[in-house]
Amino acid sequence: MAGPDARALPVHPADLALIDEAVEHVRTARTGDVVRRLMPGLAAAERAALVRHCALTHAAVLVSAPSVETLRATLRDRGLDAGKAVPSVIVRRRLAERYGRTPEGLRVDIVRVPVPGPVSVPAAAPAERAVEIFVLEAPPGAGLDAVAVRERAARHESHLALEVTEPDDVIMAGLRTTLVERGAMVPDGGGYNAREDATALYFRTETGASTARGAERLELHARGDHRQALTAHLAAAAGQDPARRLLELCTGAWTTQALATAVRLGLPDALPTGAEPAVDAGELAARTGTDRDGTGRLLRYLASLDVVAADGDRYRLGPLGSVLRSDAPHSVAPLAELYGGPFYASFGELDHAVRTGEEAFKYLHGESHFTLFAARPELDVLFQRTMAASAAMFGPVAAAVAASGARLVVDVGGCDGELLARVLAAGPDLRGVLLEREHVLDSARARLTEAGVVDRCALVAGDFTESVPPGGDVYLLSRILHDWDDDACLRILRRCADAMPQEAELLIVERLLPQDGRPSLATAWDLHMLCNVGGRERTEEHYGRLLAESGLGLCAVAPLPLDGFLLRARKPGGASAAL
């Protein structure tokens, strides 16, 4: 005899089976087992900490029914006592977003079915477990049949819930961090339900796949309004949306121009800092001679980037924006101008560089940026000023050279002398030689004079691809090699090797491309080299091969700030220095 027609039943058999499954799971599961299954990568101590602060409280499923009363009656017939219906806020919104509907056009209620848990549970566990049923009311003719079918198959809302036993801001932040960073779970939305006075943070596993029990989603449920944790969680969840994330990436050029515009208009220097009173757009516009409305729009965008701090409609410079001030140590203002100016235009020809391997800057301007900048002093000075933005790398280098026992340091292609000035300041007995193009030496002399070390330094005009001053104890190549292709790098390294005495050491400052997939600034700069310079970033192994071909050996590699590295090289047989 044929079974009942599902279309004739008030509640679909698959939905009833889903409820039965959830009831059995809640009745038998233990909190530690749930944590272990969802987050197998957690260490035992981390699992124990989660269990101390949380306890399994319910399993949740979404079903459809002509009405919530129809479902409650069906459950009573099956021996399940569903409590009073409470309107859902979070799931209704999620369904509306998922299917392109308005929340007002959907009715979703929550009913809870109490379920006795295991005999032995932690003392801090909630007194009652339950199955939480989200009921999508889908009466005949409501046009929700397709939604019901898709939810039944996908089980988007099925999850297990851990109740935070004693929630506060610190515990919520710690739990959220543990689940994401140590448990490898992905933020998956959340919200605050004012009717229940409860905050819910949802997570899913990395795969996002559903198991037979729908247990690949987890809710962290806490009584009260925990807005700080919720805000951070929703921001992280938004970053998981591919379309949203790609929109953010596609508008990255807007960020570049917003920062460059702010610097060119003098906004960072005009904005208050620290305890100074914040200003509104009108006050800042008056200080900078800009349009009030346009200034306000730019400030609002910069606030979204955390470059400025907003207090209502008033603004001050935030910690992130402080390094855009012209008087900031290691100011990145020149970089913002350069990347929003000459280098910005050439990135518009990146497709040419990728298709042909030719430098986009040269394709756009007909000459390399070194040649063009040399002919335009305002650009060359701007380029030289950008060296200070990466000066955080130089402190460890200067300290190492000063402690090495060296007497003469040769900075090959030392630009405006920023690194050599720091090296000589760190070692009062050191003398230096700076090799650069003729037109750069005036800037270098000014910087070395400002540092009070120019009397211990010789400035030499020359081309490091042709010759390098001999007789130094330490040779410096700071962010030089990445500007050149391998053939030019070999010429430069060979000129250094020719000049170096047997016991001398070559110190190379560069970013290294990671070989293990970790994030690094070198990855972005590698594309910049392709587009604007014609060089490339390299791996440690790549530099090792170039050094070997040049008659030098790579002795050691040490990390520096800003994803930089210090590579030490010597001639074979040279004594090891205490660097």
Side-chain angles (χ1 to χ4, degrees):
M1 182 173 178
D5 185 350
R7 291 171 298 181
L9 296 174
V11 180
H12 197 283
D15 283 344
L16 295 175
L18 187 61
I19 293 171
D20 290 343
E21 188 179 81
V23 168
E24 177 63 15
H25 191 52
V26 169
R27 188 182 66 80
T28 59
R30 284 176 164 77
T31 302
D33 295 334
V34 170
V35 171
R36 183 180 294 105
R37 178 156 46 83
L38 286 178
M39 292 168 277
L42 285 180
E46 293 168 327
R47 286 198 303 270
L50 274 177
V51 173
R52 280 198 304 273
H53 291 288
C54 303
L56 179 65
T57 180
H58 67 261
V61 296
L62 174 76
V63 303
S64 62
S67 71
V68 68
E69 288 307 319
T70 300
L71 176 69
R72 294 178 77 244
T74 302
L75 293 176
R76 281 196 299 271
D77 291 343
R78 299 167 66 83
L80 298 174
D81 182 19
K84 180 181 178 181
V86 177
S88 167
V89 175
I90 302 170
V91 172
R92 184 178 73 156
R93 185 183 68 240
R94 285 169 59 90
L95 285 172
E97 292 172 352
R98 194 174 298 140
Y99 297 103
R101 296 170 178 264
T102 62
E104 295 74 21
L106 298 174
R107 178 168 180 178
V108 181
D109 290 305
I110 309 170
V111 296
R112 294 175 65 88
V113 176
V115 176
V119 173
S120 175
V121 295
E128 178 187 275
R129 290 187 179 185
V131 171
E132 193 171 83
I133 305 172
F134 301 108
V135 187
L136 170 63
E137 294 203 0
L144 294 172
D145 291 349
V147 172
V149 169
R150 289 176 64 180
E151 286 299 311
R152 194 172 295 124
R155 296 171 63 168
H156 289 299
E157 302 304 329
S158 292
H159 64 266
L160 295 172
L162 298 180
E163 180 79 21
V164 184
T165 51
E166 295 181 357
D168 61 29
D169 287 345
V170 174
I171 288 175
M172 293 294 290
L175 290 173
R176 202 181 71 82
T177 299
T178 299
L179 265 60
V180 173
E181 296 186 4
R182 305 294 299 161
M185 300 206 79
V186 178
D188 196 30
Y192 171 69
N193 192 326
R195 291 184 177 88
E196 294 184 349
D197 187 29
T199 301
L201 309 181
Y202 291 104
F203 304 80
R204 58 179 169 81
T205 60
E206 288 282 1
T207 61
S210 295
T211 64
R213 289 179 173 176
E216 297 305 300
R217 286 187 77 238
L218 179 70
E219 174 188 352
L220 202 61
H221 187 271
R223 298 295 174 187
D225 185 351
H226 300 281
R227 200 58 53 97
Q228 184 176 350
L230 179 61
T231 299
H233 189 72
L234 293 178
Q240 304 298 326
D241 181 348
R244 179 190 175 99
R245 179 62 180 141
L246 278 173
L247 281 175
E248 291 175 343
L249 294 174
C250 287
T251 59
W254 303 352
T255 301
T256 303
Q257 283 302 321
L259 295 173
T261 296
V263 170
R264 286 192 291 259
L265 296 178
L267 268 60
D269 287 350
L271 276 163
T273 60
E276 297 178 67
V279 297
D280 63 18
E283 293 172 86
L284 187 61
R287 293 182 183 182
T288 56
T290 54
D291 176 71
R292 177 182 183 133
D293 181 62
T295 302
R297 294 184 183 193
L298 178 57
L299 286 171
R300 189 161 53 239
Y301 182 67
L302 293 174
S304 75
L305 303 174
D306 293 327
V307 173
V308 303
D311 182 7
D313 63 352
R314 302 183 73 82
Y315 301 89
R316 61 167 48 87
L317 202 60
L320 187 61
S322 65
V323 293
L324 287 173
R325 288 182 60 91
S326 60
D327 59 356
H330 309 162
S331 172
V332 300
L335 275 178
E337 287 190 74
L338 193 64
Y339 292 160
F343 289 158
Y344 184 85
S346 50
F347 254 100
E349 302 294 342
L350 179 61
D351 56 343
H352 173 83
V354 173
R355 277 200 312 269
T356 67
E358 180 184 346
E359 178 188 334
F361 193 101
K362 183 181 291 186
Y363 173 73
L364 180 65
H365 296 285
E367 54 190 344
S368 74
H369 92 266
F370 293 112
T371 304
L372 179 65
F373 286 9
R376 295 181 58 182
E378 76 281 3
L379 291 179
D380 202 52
V381 169
L382 178 63
F383 179 71
Q384 292 170 39
R385 287 170 53 211
T386 65
M387 296 300 104
S390 299
M393 293 183 187
F394 297 162
V397 179
V401 176
S404 70
R407 299 179 63 186
L408 181 63
V409 181
V410 180
D411 193 353
V412 180
C415 198
D416 69 345
E418 181 68 34
L419 173 57
L420 187 57
R422 290 171 179 268
V423 169
L424 296 180
D429 297 327
L430 285 169
R431 294 176 57 252
V433 176
L434 186 141
L435 175 67
E436 252 301 354
R437 298 159 293 168
E438 180 71 46
H439 71 279
V440 178
L441 292 182
D442 285 344
S443 295
R445 184 175 291 105
R447 177 67 187 97
L448 292 163
T449 300
E450 179 187 16
V453 297
V454 71
D455 59 327
R456 291 190 278 130
C457 186
L459 302 179
V460 178
D463 179 353
F464 49 61
T465 64
E466 299 297 330
S467 66
V468 170
D473 300 306
V474 172
Y475 285 75
L476 303 175
L477 276 175
S478 175
R479 296 167 301 161
I480 298 295
L481 298 179
H482 74 164
D483 289 336
W484 303 89
D485 62 22
D486 282 4
D487 289 341
C489 281
L490 286 171
R491 288 197 301 273
I492 297 166
L493 290 170
R494 284 168 180 157
R495 298 294 81 78
C496 291
D498 291 343
M500 291 169 59
Q502 182 65 29
E503 303 302 322
E505 186 158 27
L506 174 64
L507 303 185
I508 299 169
V509 177
E510 293 287 356
R511 292 188 173 100
L512 297 179
L513 285 173
Q515 295 178 282
D516 57 3
R518 72 182 186 279
S520 172
L521 291 172
T523 305
W525 256 255
D526 188 40
L527 198 63
H528 169 59
M529 294 296 115
L530 169 66
C531 186
N532 283 303
V533 183
R536 66 186 312 126
E537 303 294 350
R538 297 172 173 87
T539 63
E540 176 184 334
E541 181 183 3
H542 195 159
Y543 277 119
R545 292 197 305 269
L546 292 175
L547 287 164
E549 288 186 54
S550 306
L552 298 167
L554 181 60
C555 303
V557 177
L560 296 172
L562 300 177
D563 289 354
F565 285 87
L566 178 63
L567 291 78
R568 294 171 49 202
R570 282 184 166 271
K571 291 183 175 181
S576 178
L579 289 178

